[in-house]
Amino acid sequence: MITISHYLAVGAVLFTLGLIGFLTRRNLIVMFLSAEMMLQGVAINFVAFSRHHGNMHGQVFTLFIIAVAACEAGIALALFLSLYRKKRTLDVSVWQDLREAGIDETTDAQPLTTTPEDADPILTKAGIAPKRPLEETNV
Amino acid sequence: MRPSEAPLILLADTTDNALNWTVLTPVVAGALAIWYLLPSPQKRPLFGGAIAGVVALAGLAGFLLQGLGQTVPATVEAILFFGFAGTAVLFAALMITNPNPGRSALCFAMVVLSTCGLFLLLAAPFLMAATIIIYAGAIIVTFLFVIMLSHQNGPSNADLRSREPVLAVGTGFVLLATLLVGLQRVYDNRSVESVISESIQLAASEKVDSEYLTVRKDGDMGKPVELTPRAKSFVSRSKAALARMKLAAPEPGDKALGWDIRVRAAENAIADLERTPFKDSDMDAIRDDTMTIAASLTYLKRIREGGIPHEGVTLSPYGQVRQITKPGDNPESFAEQPPEARSTPVLLEPDPDLKMKKMPSANIAALGRVLFTDHLLAVELAGTLLLVATVGAIVIAGGRREHPR
């Protein structure tokens, strides 16, 4: 039988993966998605407790989580757009001037390996171009 | 609970499974997989990470099947649960390891859809619909728009590098191990169940004296005798089981259920068994004590699992845990019961209806009623928050002109 503990375990895994994503990724958007995934883990916990206790309070809390997540998404995406306008990148590390005083700047030691971009395919013409009918206008 | 009882609980759980493989396997393999797959300037072959990831998923399934103290039969519910949970966890891992933010957003959409499946299994259809509409429909599409607006060509620091992958993965998976072990401690009742079944065996056994007390030599009748090692371990394990049960005492309002009476009865019985040396004439007392332990632990366990007395079954705080044929047939106190009823405790099979309480059938109506009676102020505050967020988003992103350089 699937009990509440199984759902709590799945919620814990989602929360942890979101936490790791938030800590390691440097793209602002992926960081924000990771934070949303932590909220999903918590939402599973709330709904599972709601089922366990047989009342609706847990589901109400999840509804509020969704509302707050929507607000968060709106504000955060507006912020990302204005940050992108200033520095032309979504990398958080370009904003590390905001770090605590007395901490060294982190630099990226290893160079990025550039993968050659695939060139756009060029289509060779084949066959005879069909005659197009004249466009009819009623103007 | 006295502080000195805490080590007993740890002992009771860790003796037979010192390394706790059900937790260790998914955590270690998962940490390896995530560390291996996270974006990094030097290219790693996909192979190793995939193997570790598969091992971690299998380990997690093993934890869910075995680590929580009960076997999961292959019902439709279980199959759906494992399908949705596996999809959610797999795509969550893909989301945080994929270097392409657009694909990350799509993986997140899959996580949200699987979570919605879990919501449906948990009898929350409205939340399922709301989550699909708001998360998968609105939030993720907005994300994709932003990714499109800020798309950049070529490799970027943002997508191909990770910040402190080793430390972050270590932090996350230590947290996960803590949570899983915590769940195991709370929900794994196998140590309690083994104590209960052993005490029933002992009490029903014909040769309680030879199982319980050291064998006497001929001619030593009447000489004080000691407990056998097996009986000693039984006593210490039942002590640990009782301490484990006491960790989860019900709320003070539920005292009428007889929690305290049962706890005291079991404590007295255990103290009685510890009172060595025994005399020959103590056999009946030992048998009674063993049965009291069995009955008390069963009763406490039932209450802990949410087993409130319901029609047809009565859990009397004084008497045996037994099945009552007619509803409303109150059991007499333990002492007043006939001896044959005392010697054969009927242990109730766990009733599936008791583990999960019933939910209201009209989900949306019930949700609305709770929302607009108990949480009215919170609804108003959430509305205000949405309004403020809308204004804030427009103010922050509204400026059309570029920032002066």
Side-chain angles (χ1 to χ4, degrees):
Chain A
M1 183 179 170
I2 305 292
T3 56
I4 178 179
S5 49
H6 296 88
Y7 289 98
L8 297 188
V10 175
V13 173
L14 282 189
F15 185 86
T16 314
L17 288 177
L19 176 74
I20 294 171
F22 188 78
L23 289 177
T24 52
R25 295 307 299 273
R26 282 170 52 167
N27 190 322
L28 281 169
I29 292 178
V30 180
M31 286 175 72
F32 193 76
L33 283 177
S34 303
E36 296 283 319
M37 198 159 71
M38 290 163 79
L39 289 183
Q40 286 288 309
V42 176
I44 291 181
N45 275 18
F46 270 124
V47 180
F49 275 117
S50 166
R51 180 85 185 89
H52 180 69
H53 290 293
N55 60 34
M56 306 299 285
H57 296 291
Q59 296 191 17
V60 168
F61 272 100
T62 311
L63 215 53
F64 288 132
I65 286 184
I66 293 175
V68 172
C71 297
E72 232 183 290
I75 299 257
L77 293 177
L79 268 175
F80 293 167
L81 274 185
S82 64
L83 290 180
Y84 181 75
R85 278 184 198 146
K86 290 194 174 129
K87 300 251 181 174
R88 287 285 151 196
T89 176
L90 284 176
D91 190 3
V92 270
S93 295
V94 301
W95 296 98
Q96 61 177 320
D97 297 344
L98 299 175
R99 69 185 179 275
E100 209 174 325
I103 293 179
D104 294 335
E105 192 175 358
T106 56
T107 48
D108 303 319
Q110 287 175 315
L112 284 179
T113 52
T114 51
T115 49
E117 288 271 316
D118 294 338
D120 290 338
I122 300 167
L123 299 177
T124 51
K125 289 174 184 167
I128 308 161
K131 260 192 179 176
R132 287 184 194 164
L134 288 175
E135 283 183 18
E136 290 176 7
T137 53
N138 294 323
V139 180
Chain B
M1 194 192 83
R2 291 194 304 275
S4 61
E5 283 171 359
L8 268 181
I9 300 161
L10 295 180
L11 260 181
D13 277 333
T14 50
T15 40
D16 51 342
N17 187 8
L19 270 179
N20 205 342
W21 288 108
T22 46
V23 173
L24 206 61
T25 313
V27 167
V28 171
L32 275 178
I34 297 291
W35 170 78
Y36 198 88
L37 291 174
L38 273 175
S40 140
Q42 76 256 43
K43 286 261 185 278
R44 301 193 182 104
L46 202 63
F47 192 62
I51 289 181
V54 169
V55 171
L57 272 182
L60 183 66
F63 174 79
L64 291 176
L65 284 170
Q66 292 293 324
L68 292 167
Q70 51 209 335
T71 51
V72 179
T75 54
V76 176
E77 186 200 7
I79 293 168
L80 286 175
F81 170 78
F82 278 99
F84 286 131
T87 319
V89 172
L90 174 71
F91 278 95
L94 285 181
M95 190 205 101
I96 64 170
T97 54
N98 204 316
N100 185 337
R103 288 189 190 152
S104 284
L106 292 180
C107 287
F108 181 65
M110 280 303 291
V111 174
V112 169
L113 290 181
S114 320
T115 311
C116 289
L118 292 180
F119 284 172
L120 209 51
L121 285 180
L122 285 168
F126 176 74
L127 275 184
M128 180 215 60
T131 310
I132 287 183
I133 292 168
I134 296 174
Y135 264 105
I139 295 185
I140 291 177
V141 170
T142 323
F143 271 112
L144 286 175
F145 265 119
V146 172
I147 291 168
M148 189 185 73
L149 286 178
S150 56
H151 179 71
Q152 33 195 338
N153 283 318
S156 71
N157 283 331
D159 296 331
L160 295 180
R161 290 183 195 280
S162 314
R163 208 174 16 187
E164 302 289 351
V166 178
L167 290 180
V169 167
T171 311
F173 278 88
V174 166
L175 173 70
L176 179 64
T178 315
L179 290 173
L180 292 185
V181 169
L183 283 177
Q184 215 175 22
R185 288 279 149 81
V186 174
Y187 289 102
D188 188 356
N189 273 334
R190 272 176 296 194
S191 58
V192 178
E193 281 156 12
S194 79
V195 167
I196 291 174
S197 65
E198 190 176 348
S199 54
I200 292 170
Q201 265 181 22
L202 275 175
S205 159
E206 291 292 319
K207 307 174 290 183
V208 171
D209 44 354
S210 67
E211 297 214 11
Y212 241 104
L213 306 174
T214 48
V215 182
R216 290 160 301 216
K217 290 169 196 149
D218 289 338
D220 280 353
M221 300 296 272
K223 194 182 164 192
V225 282
E226 291 241 316
L227 292 173
T228 58
R230 185 192 164 192
K232 272 181 190 160
S233 99
F234 165 71
V235 170
S236 73
R237 277 193 297 132
S238 50
K239 220 172 165 180
L242 182 66
R244 194 180 157 74
M245 287 288 110
K246 277 163 69 181
L247 278 180
E251 290 162 22
D254 294 342
K255 285 281 155 91
L257 290 170
W259 182 271
D260 285 347
I261 298 170
R262 274 306 187 183
V263 168
R264 243 178 286 128
E267 273 172 352
N268 289 341
I270 291 172
D272 218 27
L273 286 181
E274 281 181 322
R275 171 190 54 96
T276 49
F278 285 100
K279 284 202 196 62
D280 216 11
S281 53
D282 289 338
M283 278 335 297
D284 283 343
I286 287 178
R287 203 186 281 269
D288 274 357
D289 286 341
T290 318
M291 292 219 346
T292 312
I293 291 174
S296 302
L297 283 180
T298 312
Y299 183 82
L300 298 180
K301 187 165 154 286
R302 284 297 300 277
I303 290 191
R304 227 187 90 157
E305 287 168 354
I308 42 172
H310 70 115
E311 202 179 347
V313 174
T314 303
L315 293 173
S316 158
Y318 300 100
Q320 297 288 347
V321 178
R322 63 189 188 123
Q323 190 95 30
I324 307 287
T325 45
K326 284 177 299 190
D329 182 7
N330 285 324
E332 317 83 64
S333 73
F334 183 66
E336 288 167 4
Q337 287 178 16
E340 56 272 15
R342 273 196 280 168
S343 60
T344 53
V346 179
L347 287 189
L348 298 170
E349 286 295 311
D351 185 353
D353 286 346
L354 286 181
K355 286 207 170 169
M356 286 214 177
K357 290 176 189 164
K358 299 240 181 350
M359 296 286 283
S361 60
N363 178 259
I364 299 177
L367 195 60
R369 198 172 299 119
V370 173
L371 205 56
F372 287 101
T373 50
D374 295 343
H375 302 278
L376 191 56
L377 180 64
V379 171
E380 297 295 332
L381 287 178
T384 316
L385 186 67
L386 278 167
L387 178 71
V388 173
T390 314
V391 174
I394 293 171
V395 167
I396 291 172
R400 272 276 165 214
R401 87 199 133 78
E402 291 287 305
H403 188 74
R405 289 171 190 248

